[in-house]
Amino acid sequence: MSELIRSDVLQDLQQVFRSVFNDDHITLTESTTAADIDGWDSLQQIKVILACEKKFKIKLRARDVNGLDNVGSMVDHLMSTIAKTTRQ
Amino acid sequence: MLFTDPKFLFLFLPFSLILFYLMRRYAGGKSTIWFLLFASAVFYGYWSVTYLGLLLGQVLVNYLLSRQLSRSHSMGQLWLGIGFNLLLLGYFKYRNFFLENVGALIGWHPHLTALFVPLGISFHTFQQITFLTDVAEEEDEVPPLPEYMLFVMFFPQLIAGPIVLHSQMGGQVSAVAAGKRPQEGTFGPGFALFCFGLFKKVCLADNLANFVDSAFQWPQHLQFIEAWSAAIGYCLQLFFDFSGYSDMAIGLGLMFGFLLPFNFNNPLAATSITDFWNRWHITMTRFFTLYVYSPLALATSRMASERNVQAFSAFWLCIAGPTLVTFLAAGLWHGAGWTFIVFGLVHGIALTINRGYREAKMRQLPTIVAWLLTMITVLIGMVYFRSQSMTQAHSILKSMFIPGRLALPLWADSVAQRLGLPVTFYSVFRAANFAAHDLFLLLVFAPLAIMLPNPSVRPKEIRPSYRTAFAVSAMLWLTMGWIGEPRTFLYFQF
C-alpha cells in the first residue's frame, strides 16, 4: 500500500480548486482560507466537496468542509478520510 | 425581563454580576455554573414560572437524548430527537395556524384559543437541535448536565439569540466550571457594547416605532412617499432593535467573561442579497446554511451528478430547490403566518436569481445599482414581514410601486390644480403625530444605520480611551432620557 503524501493531497486539492473555480492561477497553501479565494461560498463549497469525492474516491459530509478553517485542516480531514476508506 | 427594564438594569444585573465574580473567586467553578443557571432561571421565570418548567423539561429531555446519541450515533434516533423538538416548537407556534388553514380547506372552522408561545422557544430549540446533530455526527461530546444547561439557558442569549453552537461556547463554560483563571479585560468592552446596544434600541429603534406602528395600522391610507417611509422606517427600526438587542446580549456575555458570536455586520450596506444574509442575523443564516441548505444541496448535487442531470435541471435541483426550501423554512421560523412564508419566498427567489446570475457569469452590476436592487428586495420582504395580513402587505406594496395618484403636501394644491395632475394628499403624514418630524428622523437614521460601527464583530478591540468613554456616557445620558416605558424587543415574538 503506497504511503499517502501530504504534498500530493495538497496538489490534488489545488487542482480541484482550479477546476471548480475555473482559475488556473489559484495556489493553495496550508494556511489559505475562504477569504483568500474569490467567490468561495456555500455554493462553491458543495462543488468542492463533490469534486474531492470524485478525485480521492471517498465520501464526505457537508459539515466536513463547511466547518474547516483553512486548507491545512481540509488536507488533514481528507487524509484521515482516505486512510479510513482504504483501511476498510 | 427585558434588557431595557429598570429592574433588570439596576437590580438583576448588578447583583448577578457581583455574586458571579464573588462565587468565581471564592466558591469554585461548579458552584459558579449553578449560580449562573439559577440567575438565568430567575430571568426566564420572571416572565412565567410554568414556561420555565417547560424549558427545563425540554432541556433535560434533550440532554438525555444527546447522551444516547453519543453512544449510538444512530441517524434514526437523531431524526426522532429533531422530530421531538420540532413537534414541541410546532405545537406552540404553529398549531393554530396549521389548524386554521387545514380547516379552511375542509370547511371546518374550529374555535381556537390563543396559545402563548414560550419566550425564546424558536431560538433555544434550534440551538439544541444543532447540539444533537453535532453529537450524533461525532463532532462533539456531551458535557456534564449543568454545563449543557448553561449552554442553552445562559440568560443573555436565551430569549432572542445569538444562536450559539456548542463548539463556540462549550469550551468557555468548561473553563469556568474547571475554575480556570478568567479572561482579562472583557468587562469594559462588554459594558461599552451593552450601552451601545441599549442606545440603539431606546434612542433609535423606539423613536421610529410610533410612526411605523401607525403606518402599518392604517396601510390603506398610505400614499407613495408614506408607503416607502413606512417600509424604510420599519427596516431601520428592526435593524436598530435587533442589532441593539444582539449587541446587548454579546455585551452582557462579555461582562460575565463569555464571548458570544456576532449577529450583524452592516447589513444595510450589502451589495447583493447573498451578501445581505451574510450580514443580517448571521447566526440564523449559519444555522440554516450548515444544518439545512448544505446537507440538502449536497444530497441533490450528488443525485444530479450520479444521474448526469444537465445544466438547466441541475440548477433547479441543486441550487434553486435547496435555496427555496431553506428560505421557506427560515420565513416560517419567524412566525406562523402567510406573510412570513411569503417573506421567506421573496428572499428565496431573490437568492436564487442572484446565484443564477453568478452561475451564468453575467456582467457585474455597478455597486450603486446592486445596492439599490438589494435594498428594494429587502424592503419588499420587510413589508410582508411586518404586515398583519397579506391584504395589508399588498396594499402597501401597491402604494409603493403602482401609486396611480401623485401624493403632494397640501400647500402644493394650487400648483397641482393648475397643471391638472391626479393628486391626493398625505394622510398619515398629516395626522397629528407625524409629518416632518418623522421624515426628518428617517433622513437622519438611514445614513446612521450604514455608518454606525459594528463593535460586536471584534469586541475585544474596544479600547478604554477618552473617545470611548465620551461615547458611552453620551449614549447612556441619551438613553436614560428616553427610556420611559420599556418597549418589547421586536424579535421576542419569534
Side-chain angles (χ1 to χ4, degrees):
Chain A
M1 195 68 75
S2 59
E3 268 281 319
L4 202 56
I5 306 174
R6 198 180 175 85
S7 55
D8 285 347
V9 176
L10 186 60
Q11 275 286 80
D12 287 341
L13 188 59
Q14 181 170 280
Q15 243 172 308
V16 163
F17 270 81
R18 283 184 176 172
S19 112
V20 167
F21 289 89
N22 208 8
D23 179 2
D24 282 331
H25 301 293
I26 290 183
T27 324
L28 294 184
T29 67
E30 298 267 339
S31 52
T32 311
T33 65
D36 302 318
I37 301 197
D38 216 10
W40 184 3
D41 57 15
S42 49
L43 191 61
Q44 300 299 78
Q45 206 79 297
I46 307 279
K47 296 187 188 167
V48 167
I49 298 178
L50 287 180
C52 283
E53 286 190 336
K54 275 211 194 89
K55 188 119 199 162
F56 299 104
K57 309 226 181 330
I58 49 176
K59 187 120 191 263
L60 292 170
R61 301 170 303 177
R63 64 156 65 239
D64 288 342
V65 190
N66 258 328
L68 296 172
D69 292 324
N70 58 31
V71 166
S73 11
M74 268 184 84
V75 174
D76 289 336
H77 187 80
L78 285 169
M79 288 184 71
S80 65
T81 316
I82 296 169
K84 246 190 271 173
T85 321
T86 47
R87 241 182 282 142
Q88 284 164 3
Chain B
M1 223 182 289
L2 298 176
F3 290 163
T4 48
D5 192 335
K7 286 193 218 52
F8 173 82
L9 291 171
F10 302 115
L11 270 180
F12 179 84
L13 186 59
F15 272 111
S16 319
L17 278 168
I18 295 170
L19 285 169
F20 168 74
Y21 279 100
L22 283 174
M23 294 207 73
R24 198 166 184 184
R25 184 110 191 239
Y26 299 112
K30 291 210 169 56
S31 318
T32 312
I33 301 285
W34 280 111
F35 169 71
L36 279 178
L37 270 175
F38 170 72
S40 304
V42 167
F43 179 81
Y44 194 82
Y46 180 80
W47 164 68
S48 157
V49 181
T50 326
Y51 283 126
L52 173 65
L54 175 73
L55 171 65
L56 288 170
Q58 188 181 358
V59 170
L60 282 168
V61 171
N62 276 312
Y63 185 72
L64 292 169
L65 274 168
S66 66
R67 289 280 287 264
Q68 171 58 24
L69 281 169
S70 73
R71 285 187 290 263
S72 70
H73 298 295
S74 146
M75 286 300 124
Q77 287 174 9
L78 173 62
W79 280 107
L80 272 174
I82 294 177
F84 157 71
N85 281 287
L86 289 179
L87 261 170
L88 201 57
L89 178 63
Y91 175 76
F92 284 100
K93 236 176 132 168
Y94 304 107
R95 186 197 77 162
N96 286 355
F97 177 65
F98 178 72
L99 290 175
E100 270 162 15
N101 284 283
V102 166
L105 278 175
I106 61 177
W108 167 54
H109 299 283
H111 173 66
L112 296 162
T113 47
L115 259 180
F116 215 17
V117 183
L119 220 48
I121 194 169
S122 312
F123 292 89
H124 71 71
T125 302
F126 269 27
Q127 202 160 304
Q128 297 188 77
I129 289 179
T130 65
F131 183 66
L132 287 178
T133 313
D134 290 349
V135 168
E137 293 188 346
E138 292 178 68
E139 290 301 313
D140 210 340
E141 281 167 13
V142 184
L145 177 63
E147 291 178 36
Y148 173 73
M149 288 177 75
L150 188 62
F151 155 67
V152 180
M153 291 173 58
F154 187 41
F155 74 87
Q157 41 97 340
L158 176 57
I159 310 273
I163 300 176
V164 188
L165 297 178
H166 189 251
S167 53
Q168 294 168 314
M169 196 169 158
Q172 301 186 62
V173 176
S174 351
V176 172
K180 291 214 174 86
R181 274 185 63 121
Q183 283 187 65
E184 297 266 317
T186 57
F187 187 86
F191 179 71
L193 193 53
F194 180 77
C195 293
F196 183 57
L198 192 58
F199 166 75
K200 279 202 273 192
K201 162 64 177 163
V202 174
C203 304
L204 302 180
D206 287 354
N207 269 321
L208 287 165
N210 274 326
F211 169 69
V212 172
D213 288 347
S214 302
F216 276 89
Q217 208 173 3
W218 302 308
Q220 62 274 24
H221 294 303
L222 296 179
Q223 310 305 337
F224 179 72
I225 293 189
E226 295 169 324
W228 281 96
S229 303
I232 296 172
Y234 179 65
C235 183
L236 292 173
Q237 182 195 4
L238 188 62
F239 170 65
F240 289 129
D241 193 291
F242 197 25
S243 72
Y245 163 84
S246 301
D247 285 345
M248 280 195 263
I250 298 169
L252 283 171
L254 278 170
M255 285 201 267
F256 285 90
F258 292 96
L259 182 63
L260 298 174
F262 59 93
N263 244 349
F264 289 88
N265 191 10
N266 211 358
L268 301 180
T271 47
S272 80
I273 196 76
T274 311
D275 191 24
F276 176 78
W277 283 104
N278 282 329
R279 294 163 174 270
W280 177 282
H281 204 176
I282 297 169
T283 57
M284 184 196 79
T285 308
R286 186 177 44 216
F287 169 84
F288 277 107
T289 309
L290 282 181
Y291 295 90
V292 181
Y293 174 78
S294 288
L296 200 52
L298 189 59
T300 55
S301 299
R302 232 185 233 126
M303 198 168 25
S305 85
E306 276 163 20
R307 302 194 191 170
N308 225 354
V309 176
Q310 283 323 307
F312 188 68
S313 321
F315 175 76
W316 280 99
L317 193 58
C318 309
I319 300 174
T323 307
L324 287 166
V325 167
T326 305
F327 268 83
L328 267 171
L332 195 56
W333 176 80
H334 284 87
W338 288 107
T339 48
F340 293 107
I341 294 177
V342 176
F343 159 77
L345 208 56
V346 166
H347 282 277
I349 293 173
L351 277 164
T352 308
I353 295 175
N354 187 216
R355 294 188 159 175
Y357 194 84
R358 279 192 287 154
E359 281 295 293
K361 300 215 188 338
M362 295 178 75
R363 192 166 49 124
Q364 220 180 13
L365 294 170
T367 314
I368 196 88
V369 177
W371 177 77
L372 271 170
L373 278 176
T374 310
M375 286 305 121
I376 291 175
T377 313
V378 168
L379 287 174
I380 296 174
M382 290 284 175
V383 171
Y384 279 108
F385 195 74
R386 175 61 172 80
S387 297
Q388 281 142 348
S389 74
M390 293 291 283
T391 334
Q392 280 193 9
H394 290 145
S395 131
I396 299 179
L397 286 171
K398 184 163 177 295
S399 304
M400 282 167 75
F401 292 99
I402 319 169
R405 295 165 79 72
L406 199 61
L408 291 176
L410 268 175
W411 47 259
D413 181 25
S414 48
V415 177
Q417 296 270 18
R418 218 174 310 143
L419 294 174
L421 298 167
V423 284
T424 64
F425 298 99
Y426 294 137
S427 52
V428 174
F429 268 160
R430 193 171 43 180
N433 294 335
F434 314 120
H437 169 245
D438 294 283
L439 208 48
F440 171 77
L441 270 186
L442 284 181
L443 287 172
V444 172
F445 285 6
L448 260 186
I450 301 179
M451 288 173 357
L452 277 177
N454 300 292
S456 65
V457 177
R458 270 175 296 268
K460 294 195 188 154
E461 286 178 14
I462 301 175
R463 291 262 156 265
S465 62
Y466 282 113
R467 227 168 83 177
T468 315
F470 175 74
V472 171
S473 357
M475 289 190 290
L476 276 178
W477 177 69
L478 286 168
T479 306
M480 289 307 139
W482 255 307
I483 201 154
E485 275 288 317
R487 278 176 171 269
T488 333
F489 287 95
L490 293 175
Y491 257 74
F492 274 23
Q493 59 186 300
F494 302 133

